[in-house]
Amino acid sequence: MPKVTTPCTGVCRIDQSSGLCIGCRRTMDEIVLWGSMSEKDRRAIMAQVRERRVP
């Protein structure tokens, strides 16, 4: 299975009401910890990000 790449889009602003980045839809904790996460944890975050993008 290929490595999970960052979902960062370069639009790094946290929406105050949701606590999510408006670009990648991750929380600050998820962004900060991304580099030290296991591939399993990254895949779990990516699944959550996909769900967060659904209006």
Side-chain angles (χ1 to χ4, degrees):
M1 201 175 275
K3 285 193 165 220
V4 178
T5 59
T6 179
C8 181
T9 63
V11 180
C12 304
R13 286 199 324 241
I14 301 298
D15 178 285
Q16 294 301 312
S17 61
S18 69
L20 300 173
C21 173
I22 64 169
C24 68
R25 308 304 292 166
R26 291 180 292 171
T27 66
M28 279 300 296
D29 286 343
E30 292 166 348
I31 293 167
V32 170
L33 296 173
W34 186 263
S36 62
M37 284 182 179
S38 68
E39 287 296 304
K40 179 181 176 183
D41 289 341
R42 288 180 180 182
R43 289 184 200 294
I45 297 299
M46 291 302 290
Q48 292 175 5
V49 165
R50 282 189 291 277
E51 291 176 12
R52 293 170 186 164
R53 290 189 190 280
V54 176

